[in-house]
Amino acid sequence: MSPIWRLLPHPWLTPVLTLVWLLLNNSLAPGHILLGLLLGWLIPLLTWRLWPDTVHFHRPLTLLRFVGRVLWDILAANLNVAQLILGKPERLRPAFFAVPLDLKSELAIGLLANTVSLTPGTLSVELSRDRHTLFVHGLDVPDPDAARAEIKRRYEAPLKEVLEP
Amino acid sequence: MLEALLSLLILAGAIFTFIGSLGLARLPDFFTRLHAPTKATTLGVGCLLVASAIHFSTQGEGLSLHEVLVTLFLFITAPVSGHLLGKTGLHLQLPRLGRQDDEDHG
Amino acid sequence: MMALAVDLALALVAAAAALSFWRLLIGPSAPDRILALDTLYINTIALLILLGLRLDSALYFEAALLIAVIGFVGTLALCKYLLRGDIIE
């Protein structure tokens, strides 16, 4: 690791922390920007032991498209689930199904699990000990195979492209 | 115009929050009930916070975006608590409806 | 018009909180009650935001943020307790 990267272990974290600081204070005053930058620099420096792996985002465009798609899915699936809740509970077809994972890194698996949980109608409940399988509970799943394929195609493939090319 | 948009957002947020809690009250088993709060947080509170951000930003005292922080926080934490609650439910072997793929995990 | 919308929304969210409380009372299992408590936190956040809009004060935001943080930590601690019988590993 070159000395520069030792001083700035997580280049992504600094702007994010600065932004959070500015939002928290709801202000764009120069003093707050300076303080935010200082905190954004110091906190990763002091806590680098907690996250030893540097994160690289490949293909930022795919990442943006992925975020947009997730937001859209949250909206669409919410309407769907609202309908299910208001309908007859006996007509629900809840199911557990396993999703075999191609992702390897902790961050990627965590992001996938969170995405699955955020899009209503599916909820990740357990990761197998060897980290190869994610167990998902669906609120209304007529066909588990289709749901599994949907998760792999819609969410896992772009995450793999961005984080593990 | 702006007021109509805000009213719409507020009502939509409140309705989704209500439907989330309604699901919690009437769905048949723990694992289906688990789906309800993820809904209430993401869309319901999200809509309310967006409405609040727009309202306070148009009051003439500059931008007010700190509501975004609550939304962001909820979007990050809701799946984590959902996941842990699901894990707990499996661990305690709560009764569950519907079909299961695998029995030999956890 | 917005005042009316906020009033209606307050009534809806209060009803939501009542439903969550109902689930908290009847259970039947411990995770059910934790889930109900978690939902109750979220309903409270919604109520606080609406109050902020109703009373035109940005102060309620801080309370909403605090409840979000404390609610999350509380839910995690309760789940951990049921999972392991211990909170600090």
Side-chain angles (χ1 to χ4, degrees), chain C residues 37-77:
Chain C
L37 199 61
D38 195 54
T39 315
L40 210 51
Y41 284 131
I42 291 153
N43 293 336
T44 316
I45 294 172
L47 268 181
L48 277 171
I49 296 159
L50 285 169
L51 265 182
L53 281 169
R54 182 84 169 78
L55 304 174
D56 226 352
S57 150
L59 278 180
Y60 291 91
F61 155 80
E62 319 267 335
L65 190 60
L66 275 179
I67 289 181
V69 173
I70 293 171
F72 174 60
V73 175
T75 306
L76 288 205

Side-chain angles (χ1 to χ4, degrees), chain C:
Chain C
M1 184 161 72
M2 206 177 105
L4 183 69
V6 172
D7 282 349
L8 259 173
L10 273 171
L12 269 171
V13 175
L19 283 171
S20 307
F21 193 66
W22 168 243
R23 178 52 74 188
L24 182 65
L25 281 181
I26 61 172
S29 66
D32 271 308
R33 291 178 212 265
I34 302 176
L35 180 63
L37 199 61
D38 195 54
T39 315
L40 210 51
Y41 284 131
I42 291 153
N43 293 336
T44 316
I45 294 172
L47 268 181
L48 277 171
I49 296 159
L50 285 169
L51 265 182
L53 281 169
R54 182 84 169 78
L55 304 174
D56 226 352
S57 150
L59 278 180
Y60 291 91
F61 155 80
E62 319 267 335
L65 190 60
L66 275 179
I67 289 181
V69 173
I70 293 171
F72 174 60
V73 175
T75 306
L76 288 205
L78 285 169
C79 285
K80 273 274 172 214
Y81 179 69
L82 286 183
L83 271 173
R84 308 271 161 113
D86 201 354
I87 297 171
I88 300 160
E89 300 193 3

Side-chain angles (χ1 to χ4, degrees), chain A residues 23 78 85 126 137 148, chain B residues 26 35 39 66 87 101:
Chain A
L23 283 174
N78 248 305
I85 291 176
E126 178 81 286
H137 183 263
R148 187 180 302 138
Chain B
R26 75 182 290 224
H35 288 271
K39 259 107 277 172
H66 57 189
K87 229 174 143 89
D101 254 19

Side-chain angles (χ1 to χ4, degrees), chain B residues 3 8 17-18 26 57 65 71 82 84 91 97:
Chain B
E3 205 164 302
L8 199 71
T17 311
F18 179 73
R26 75 182 290 224
S57 292
L65 288 178
T71 322
L84 218 58
H91 179 74
L97 299 173

Side-chain angles (χ1 to χ4, degrees), chain A residues 10 12-13 51 53-58 63 66 101 103-115 127 131 159-160 162-164:
Chain A
H10 296 284
W12 286 102
L13 210 52
W51 20 42
D53 307 325
T54 321
V55 181
H56 294 285
F57 291 109
H58 310 267
L63 183 67
F66 175 71
L101 292 176
L103 297 168
K104 295 276 177 298
S105 75
E106 269 179 32
L107 177 72
I109 294 176
L111 277 178
L112 179 69
N114 271 21
T115 312
L127 181 67
R131 292 199 189 151
L159 272 176
K160 193 167 175 58
V162 171
L163 290 167
E164 301 176 356

Side-chain angles (χ1 to χ4, degrees), chain A residues 19-20 23-26 28 71 74-75 77-79 81-89 92-98 113-115 117-118 120-129 134-135 137-139 141 144 148, chain B residues 16 19-20 22-24 26-29 31-36 38-40 42-44 63-69 72 74-76 78-80 82-84 86-87 90 96-102 104-106:
Chain A
L19 193 68
V20 167
L23 283 174
L24 200 58
N25 284 290
N26 213 10
L28 269 178
L71 287 179
I74 289 174
L75 204 71
N78 248 305
L79 294 171
V81 168
Q83 233 171 7
L84 290 176
I85 291 176
L86 293 175
K88 282 211 176 83
L92 291 177
R93 287 157 292 185
F96 277 96
F97 54 95
N114 271 21
T115 312
S117 298
L118 264 183
T122 52
L123 202 70
S124 66
V125 287
E126 178 81 286
L127 181 67
S128 69
R129 247 169 232 281
L134 187 69
F135 293 96
H137 183 263
L139 185 55
V141 190
R148 187 180 302 138
Chain B
F16 273 109
I19 288 178
L22 188 68
L24 183 71
R26 75 182 290 224
L27 286 177
D29 75 329
F31 291 98
T32 51
R33 283 197 283 270
L34 199 48
H35 288 271
T38 33
K39 259 107 277 172
T42 49
L43 208 61
L63 275 178
S64 167
L65 288 178
H66 57 189
E67 284 87 352
V68 178
L69 217 55
L72 206 67
L74 285 179
F75 267 62
I76 295 171
V80 179
H83 180 85
L84 218 58
K87 229 174 143 89
L90 283 179
R96 42 187 158 158
L97 299 173
R99 47 167 296 167
Q100 276 99 60
D101 254 19
D102 308 71
D104 55 333
H105 57 76

